[in-house]
Amino acid sequence: MEQLYLKAMGKINLGLDVVRKREDGYHEVRMIMQTVGVYDRISLKRGHTPGIHVTTNLYFLPVNENNLVYKAAQMLMEEFQVKEGLDIHLQKYIPVAAGMAGGSADAATVLYGVNRMFRLGLSQKELMERGVRIGADVPYCLMRGTALSEGIGEVLTRLPAAPACKVIIAKPGISVSTKYVYGHLDAAGIKEHPDIDGMIEAIQEGSYEGVVRRLGNVLETVTQERHPVIGEIKELLTAHGADGALMSGSGPTVFGLFREEKKAREALRALEKSGLAKQMYLTGLFSP
């Protein structure tokens, strides 16, 4: 196998709760993770010279071991003593530093691709066990679909596919540090927690209304307070027909859920005119 062309799928959080801050400094979470149809494109090609060579369409992304795709390839190639070279090209579409696990999705896709290209024979479970060393979201990005994520994000329970709907993804022209958001979250002082168990029940029952009613993200209290544009995008989407709108992850990306595609397209046009978002997509939920 000389070359592989792969998709690295982004995610949103239908629900995100922080249970507590652990003694080791990490936060224990309960999240409903959902893959969406916004993805990066990754090509892997056997190299003519030894080593890992990364290129990307974004000038500000590192192309060395500071890029998660490099780390993912290096980890497997060193473990299995792969001496051949590997050329990786990363074409980014998932917003960067935006709460959509773009870097983790890229790393997960490279783990999958290196395993396949060099016939390493690892199962998905074995790839997930290695992926958590790169980042807490990497195991989920290997699994994809709808899942309950617990612990620091690495304890996963697959759920039935969430009810189908249209999704608008909107990222304002700012980036957010996940470390900053969790560092400024008062986990013990959270007054309202999302109904994660209720969200699971709604998904199991196939209730779109139940899912929309239980959307919630405790990290909004930090990110939205610092960046009011997040609230402005949510209000615009809701005013133009979104059944629900929420910030994804630590932000600043906002998503809106729509049962009707016509309303979603109208909302997208209004969003484009508003200038509130720099990157916008109309997509849907993805189930493997």
Side-chain angles (χ1 to χ4, degrees), residues 16-31 136 148-155 182 185-188 190 193-194 196 218-219:
L16 194 163
D17 192 16
V18 174
V19 179
R20 67 185 179 96
K21 186 175 183 179
R22 306 191 320 189
E23 290 181 5
D24 60 9
Y26 286 98
H27 288 79
E28 203 163 291
V29 297
R30 295 191 81 217
M31 307 184 289
L148 169 66
S149 172
E150 298 176 286
I152 62 169
E154 86 288 10
V155 181
Y182 276 101
L185 177 72
D186 178 12
I190 297 172
H193 290 269
I196 299 296
V218 296
L219 299 184

Side-chain angles (χ1 to χ4, degrees), residues 240-270:
H240 287 83
D243 300 307
L246 192 70
M247 184 183 82
S248 181
S250 55
T253 297
V254 173
F255 66 88
L257 303 184
F258 297 79
R259 174 160 273 174
E260 298 177 30
E261 183 172 350
K262 182 181 177 183
K263 283 186 179 180
R265 293 194 178 279
E266 290 171 355
L268 187 64
R269 285 193 291 271

Side-chain angles (χ1 to χ4, degrees), residues 14 17 37 48 57 65 108 113 138 174 177 222 240 274 280 286 288:
L14 298 175
D17 192 16
H48 296 297
N57 62 316
E65 60 275 3
V138 175
I174 54 174
S177 162
V222 178
H240 287 83
S274 73
M280 292 159 280
F286 172 85

